[in-house]
Amino acid sequence: ILIGETFDGADAINAAIGPHLLHGQFDFPLYWTIRDAFVYDTASVAAAVDQAATIADQYPGGQMSTFLGNLDVGRFLTDRHEGNMDVCPDGSLRQAGWPDDAEAFDRLRLAWTLLFTQPGMPMIYYGDEFGIPGYGDPDNRQPLWWHGIDTAAGSVASVAANLNAGPARVVDTVQRLIAARAAHPALQQGDQENFWIDGDGLVGTVHRTDDDAAIVVLNRNSTEATIDNSLGFFGLPEGTWVDVLSDERFTSDGDRLRFSVPPTTPRVLVLEP
């Protein structure tokens, strides 16, 4: 598969996809919408979810790669914590550091959850699985070992054990999302419909194939939300649903499934076997 990079809108990206051209490209328009939704709050969460879900319509025949960062843009975490700052404001190169702000890491967890529960081929630019900091190029190429990340530690758990709570939480979430996506076809290619929407900051969606189902909720808001909805209306079975990101379990009461979503938190629910 040959994937290209056209740092532009959908029309220019599509122009390079096709027979004897590229098989697909990086989805820059989705990248910008995700930044607007989870970094700058200038787009609703629903707008990002809808755009991600319709990737096949936007790029007919393209095998598209989705992403949260690359070597041409500032790191997600630093943009959220400080804004899109100039790497050389006075002619000297600056170096971003970890924020002391837990919410920036939680925003990154939300963005990763969107990416790994939608169609496309998610690409992880090294370090974004931890949320390492960085202004624009070249500060967005900081080595992992600058931040105490031992990539030879042998397992994600052993790497996370040596990190502060923020980056440890992000890498644990990414590992869980990768495993959930591999195990549940509904998170890659299932039919999708809205399960719950609350303003600009909270969206819940149902993802379903013939043999698989999941419920994904993204709560960008700073307040806890309570979801209480019918399962049968969406063709979902009664039973116990497990959040793959936290291992919490929620058992339906007849046809109703009720669960809480903490502030700035994602949930990915799958039916317990």
Side-chain angles (χ1 to χ4, degrees):
I1 296 175
L2 186 61
I3 301 297
E5 180 189 59
T6 300
F7 202 130
D8 209 318
D11 289 344
I13 290 172
N14 274 318
I17 297 173
H20 311 297
L21 298 172
L22 298 170
H23 295 102
Q25 297 225 58
F26 292 109
D27 190 347
F28 275 94
L30 177 60
Y31 159 81
W32 290 315
T33 300
I34 290 174
R35 286 285 176 120
D36 287 343
F38 295 109
V39 174
Y40 307 119
D41 290 359
T42 55
S44 68
V45 176
V49 170
D50 289 346
Q51 188 168 334
T54 57
I55 189 172
D57 297 329
Q58 299 169 66
Y59 308 100
Q63 301 181 57
M64 300 299 293
S65 179
T66 57
F67 64 102
L68 298 183
N70 69 11
L71 74 172
D72 294 319
V73 296
R75 294 281 187 173
F76 183 106
L77 194 77
T78 300
D79 280 3
R80 174 62 195 172
H81 182 59
E82 298 188 47
N84 189 7
M85 306 292 286
D86 187 353
V87 68
C88 296
D90 55 4
S92 58
L93 184 65
R94 295 195 305 162
Q95 179 186 330
W98 293 113
D100 53 7
D101 162 11
E103 193 240 23
F105 293 98
D106 291 336
R107 291 295 189 107
L108 182 54
R109 293 178 68 238
L110 286 166
W112 275 131
T113 302
L114 185 152
L115 220 62
F116 276 98
T117 57
Q118 292 291 347
M121 299 182 291
M123 184 275 290
I124 302 175
Y125 179 53
Y126 86 95
D128 283 347
E129 72 272 35
F130 305 98
I132 69 169
Y135 300 114
D137 188 9
D139 192 48
N140 58 7
R141 307 173 191 235
Q142 293 184 21
L144 295 180
W145 53 264
W146 283 9
H147 303 288
I149 298 170
D150 179 7
T151 56
S155 71
V156 170
S158 57
V159 171
N162 294 317
L163 297 173
N164 291 332
R169 196 162 61 247
V170 174
V171 74
D172 176 71
T173 296
V174 171
Q175 182 189 33
R176 288 169 179 260
L177 287 168
I178 290 171
R181 184 178 180 86
H184 294 279
L187 296 177
Q188 303 179 42
Q189 56 194 16
D191 295 330
Q192 180 174 319
E193 57 186 315
N194 290 334
F195 187 73
W196 195 272
I197 295 179
D198 186 3
D200 287 341
L202 187 147
V203 172
T205 48
V206 171
H207 303 247
R208 191 173 50 242
T209 62
D210 290 342
D211 303 316
D212 188 40
I215 301 170
V216 178
V217 182
L218 304 172
N219 184 15
R220 187 184 71 185
N221 297 328
S222 58
T223 55
E224 181 175 270
T226 298
I227 310 296
D228 185 348
N229 211 345
S230 163
L231 291 169
F233 182 82
F234 298 95
L236 298 174
E238 299 175 10
T240 298
W241 290 77
V242 182
D243 180 5
V244 301
L245 303 183
S246 68
D247 298 324
E248 294 173 85
R249 285 164 167 74
F250 306 96
T251 301
S252 62
D253 182 4
D255 179 54
R256 308 294 298 187
L257 181 66
R258 179 183 175 90
F259 58 93
S260 63
V261 187
T264 332
T265 296
R267 286 202 187 279
V268 179
L269 305 183
V270 299
L271 193 67
E272 187 172 60

